[in-house]
Amino acid sequence: MTPTVLLTLGRLPKALALARALHAAGCRVVIAEPFRWHVCKPSLSVAANYRVPAPNDGTEAYLAALLDIISRENIDLVVPVSEEALHVAGLHDRLPARVRLLCPDAEVLEALHDKLLFAQRAAQLSLSVPTTFSAHTAEAAELASSSAYVTKPALGCSGIGLGFHESGTTPPKGIDNLLVQQQVTGREISTLSFLSEGQVITTVIYEGLVFAGTVAVCFERVIEMQAVETWVRTFCEGLNYSGFIAFDFIVDEHDTPWGIECNPRVTSGVHFLDEFGLGQALSSPESPTYIALREDTRKCQWAYSTLTEAYASILKPSEFWRCLRHMLSACDVVWSLRDPLPFLLMTPMSWEILWPAMTSNLSLGEATQRDIARFEPASRITTLQAPKIVSAVGGESGS
């Protein structure tokens, strides 16, 4: 019998990668998406699309809609895609016994997603992590007075609300759940791992090359960073769940990886995983095998966004040509000769993201996540220009 899989978002390229992988492994794929139009909608890998209420407008209505789809389509597996995972985790106690949900329960998910709790867990495991405090504590004030620091929402995403500040300045006031974190200098590195009952099956390490804000739109796989892999394995020991987990790091001049935050969900690292192997692992997590990395792909991009960033820097010739070189040497993550319509129709299918970003004060990240994520609007955060080589990433290398 063909297994049927529900993906709980369809607007992002990583959702399309999951849909294609599951389809290649013989699964029937169904999409639940609050937007009317999305990049997965015209895909030949998708059997059915459902429009559902936005979770930020009411979690109960959203979960009820998902449960209706699960019953109607005889779903076997539910896979969250992005920030909506924080809402989807509420299905754990409501699903029929035969249906699997590929994400941790709500308590574990919240603890991993919360940047302060993540930093505390990493420190308890003796893993390198920047000093992090709630912004309204005496410890945060002392940190801000003595070193350069970063402010970010505890439950932020996609770099929304990220601020860089000089030593001796006062952190912003009146913002709930704001964190103060020591700045770390080095390379911005991201990972994506697939877990089976807490066991790390595969980890891919990659680095952003071209950024739209703090989100990488062109990224390259990093071949060997043993210290990063060890950090990931150590942190994941004892996490008794199956599914994806991602981390952002700053790797300093001594090759020490400093864990910045955890994203317990899929990230753009999925584009480096072998399509068929990924589909098999998703559809049969009870008997996992290593997911091979794509040997034919070292550099990936969202070509449209990379080109946009190149044009945005056209008055800076060196940056313009740098972006253009990366664009010409990277594989597009949406294009597929076997499934061409998502690429050919990408602009109209992404209109519900593009239009708010063009006609309001929302950033592209906010426009993408506005109805599914819990975040503090960036307009309430006072930020300074981030130094080029200093970062405490508040988003991820690709969303």
Side-chain angles (χ1 to χ4, degrees):
M1 183 176 177
T2 301
T4 301
V5 182
L6 175 64
L7 301 181
T8 57
L9 206 70
R11 69 188 67 172
L12 298 172
K14 60 188 177 184
L16 184 61
L18 293 174
R20 286 170 171 169
L22 288 161
H23 179 72
C27 297
R28 180 174 176 271
V29 180
V30 176
I31 303 290
E33 166 63 65
F35 288 172
R36 185 183 303 276
W37 308 105
H38 54 87
V39 71
C40 284
K41 190 164 189 175
S43 173
L44 296 175
S45 297
V46 175
N49 288 278
Y50 286 85
R51 192 178 184 191
V52 295
N56 281 359
D57 291 338
T59 300
E60 285 303 315
Y62 174 67
L63 295 180
L66 294 182
L67 288 169
D68 181 63
I69 296 169
I70 289 166
S71 175
R72 184 179 305 184
E73 294 287 348
N74 199 26
I75 298 295
D76 300 292
L77 171 67
V78 180
V79 181
V81 174
S82 191
E83 297 293 332
E84 86 285 358
L86 290 167
H87 302 276
V88 177
L91 289 176
H92 265 293
D93 296 329
R94 308 188 192 188
L95 291 173
R98 63 175 181 78
V99 181
R100 291 182 290 113
L101 175 56
L102 201 66
C103 79
D105 63 39
E107 184 178 357
V108 173
L109 190 65
E110 291 276 2
L112 293 172
H113 184 62
D114 187 297
K115 295 172 178 58
L116 181 58
L117 296 180
F118 159 73
Q120 291 171 346
R121 172 180 165 83
Q124 289 169 357
L125 294 171
S126 299
L127 294 170
S128 49
V129 61
T131 303
T132 308
F133 299 110
S134 174
H136 310 298
T137 63
E139 292 88 348
E142 183 177 349
L143 174 63
S145 69
S146 60
S147 68
Y149 64 97
V150 174
T151 53
K152 59 176 71 173
L155 298 177
C157 67
S158 300
I160 298 166
L162 179 68
F164 295 82
H165 308 266
E166 297 175 352
S167 174
T169 58
T170 302
K173 302 290 187 181
I175 301 171
D176 294 335
N177 300 315
L178 189 69
L179 303 182
V180 170
Q181 186 173 75
Q182 178 187 9
Q183 278 193 9
V184 181
T185 303
R187 294 172 64 186
E188 300 177 11
I189 297 294
S190 295
T191 67
L192 177 65
S193 300
F194 186 77
L195 306 183
S196 177
E197 300 300 328
Q199 178 187 358
V200 177
I201 302 302
T202 296
T203 294
V204 59
I205 304 172
Y206 59 106
E207 180 175 19
L209 301 174
V210 179
F211 289 81
T214 62
V215 177
V217 294
C218 181
F219 26 89
E220 184 173 28
R221 183 158 65 89
V222 178
I223 299 300
E224 288 187 8
M225 277 197 170
Q226 188 58 52
V228 171
E229 290 196 36
T230 300
W231 197 107
V232 170
R233 288 187 178 277
T234 301
F235 187 93
C236 290
E237 289 176 0
L239 293 179
N240 189 27
Y241 79 88
S242 297
F244 292 99
I245 190 167
F247 299 95
D248 289 330
F249 295 93
I250 302 298
V251 178
D252 67 19
E253 60 182 353
H254 305 294
D255 294 327
T256 298
W258 295 82
I260 303 301
E261 64 182 58
C262 173
N263 295 295
R265 53 177 173 77
V266 190
T267 63
S268 292
V270 72
H271 300 300
F272 294 108
L273 300 179
D274 173 73
E275 187 176 89
F276 182 76
L278 173 61
Q280 291 281 26
L282 288 171
S283 58
S284 304
E286 67 280 355
S287 55
T289 58
Y290 175 76
I291 307 171
L293 303 182
R294 294 176 57 182
E295 293 300 329
D296 61 334
T297 303
R298 287 284 304 279
K299 191 185 295 186
C300 293
Q301 66 174 331
W302 310 340
Y304 182 88
S305 297
T306 306
L307 181 61
T308 300
E309 292 305 310
Y311 281 141
S313 60
I314 200 166
L315 297 179
K316 302 175 182 178
S318 61
E319 179 64 13
F320 172 78
W321 288 111
R322 187 188 74 84
C323 292
L324 205 59
R325 283 196 300 272
H326 286 313
M327 189 190 76
L328 294 175
S329 61
C331 298
D332 186 83
V333 298
V334 176
W335 169 251
S336 169
L337 186 61
R338 294 172 298 175
D339 187 25
L341 287 181
F343 180 84
L344 297 175
L345 298 176
M346 185 161 52
T347 297
M349 291 296 106
S350 301
W351 197 244
E352 291 187 71
I353 297 172
L354 297 175
W355 182 250
M358 292 188 298
T359 59
S360 71
N361 61 355
L362 292 179
S363 68
L364 190 61
E366 286 174 308
T368 301
Q369 305 285 347
R370 68 186 188 273
D371 59 336
I372 61 174
R374 308 175 202 170
F375 57 80
E376 190 69 35
S379 59
R380 289 189 58 193
I381 306 285
T382 302
T383 63
L384 300 179
Q385 181 64 38
K388 289 185 178 180
I389 62 168
V390 177
S391 182
V393 180
E396 61 178 76
S397 291
S399 67

